Amino acid sequence: PRGLSLRRYRPALPCIVRMQNARPASVESTAACGIIHQCAGPYRLSGNWWDKESWRRAEWDLQFENGELVRAHERDGVWKLDGIYD
């Protein structure tokens, strides 16, 4: 069986996410924008805990009304679009 592939943006693209009831409701970016139909998350991730440059962020899988599926993350109140699923 064939699964989904995440085509990552390097670097991740800035985006604006509007929240409703603590869930993403819409996204605006140069690569994708629209009303969120379904979402999964937040997946709380962290890394480099041994280093001063450690990171923590909340990742979300977001599906637009047109069926497009993207991955975005929020860190310190800043949202970025990580990629689009194929």
Side-chain angles (χ1 to χ4, degrees), residues 47-56 75:
N48 294 356
W49 51 267
W50 59 88
D51 192 353
K52 289 186 222 176
E53 299 297 317
S54 66
W55 51 270
R56 283 185 294 255
R75 179 180 175 188

Side-chain angles (χ1 to χ4, degrees), residues 14-79:
C15 65
I16 297 170
V17 175
R18 288 181 178 43
M19 303 292 282
Q20 184 176 24
N21 299 324
R23 314 265 312 153
S26 67
V27 174
E28 292 178 36
S29 80
T30 57
C33 62
I35 304 292
I36 303 301
H37 177 65
Q38 290 186 346
C39 64
Y43 308 113
R44 306 228 185 259
L45 302 173
S46 64
N48 294 356
W49 51 267
W50 59 88
D51 192 353
K52 289 186 222 176
E53 299 297 317
S54 66
W55 51 270
R56 283 185 294 255
R57 64 191 202 178
E59 294 192 358
W60 294 80
D61 289 324
L62 308 171
Q63 185 176 26
F64 295 108
E65 291 178 318
N66 67 2
E68 187 175 38
L69 184 61
V70 299
R71 167 71 58 103
H73 77 269
E74 179 271 329
R75 179 180 175 188
D76 299 327
V78 176
W79 283 87

Side-chain angles (χ1 to χ4, degrees), residues 9-14 73 80-82:
Y9 300 120
R10 298 284 188 204
L13 303 174
H73 77 269
K80 296 212 175 168
L81 196 63
D82 291 310

